[in-house]
Amino acid sequence: MSEPLTTIERAIQLAQSSDCRSVNDVRQRLRREGYIGIGADLAGVAINRELVGYLHAARR
């Protein structure tokens, strides 16, 4: 059995999937899935830019 994904790993997975349209959508989905500490894990500028990049790429 594989280890559960970290908050950041799951956030990237969601952003790449085209299921979410914004970083806020990613955060809401993580909360619904039971992840905790989302605010702290996704607070940095770099991770937010990365997620936005994945979200834009997924829309293409």
Side-chain angles (χ1 to χ4, degrees):
M1 194 160 116
S2 63
E3 301 245 346
L5 296 174
T6 66
T7 303
I8 292 174
E9 290 170 333
R10 183 62 178 141
I12 290 170
Q13 193 177 61
L14 288 168
Q16 291 174 327
S17 73
S18 75
D19 289 340
C20 298
R21 298 189 52 77
S22 68
V23 174
N24 191 45
D25 286 349
V26 171
R27 288 172 181 263
Q28 290 175 359
R29 178 83 176 264
L30 289 168
R31 281 188 196 96
R32 284 194 304 266
E33 291 182 8
Y35 283 86
I36 56 172
I38 297 162
D41 289 339
L42 302 182
V45 173
I47 187 62
N48 278 282
R49 282 188 186 145
E50 188 174 350
L51 291 174
V52 168
Y54 289 130
L55 289 161
H56 287 344
R59 284 189 221 158
R60 293 184 197 134

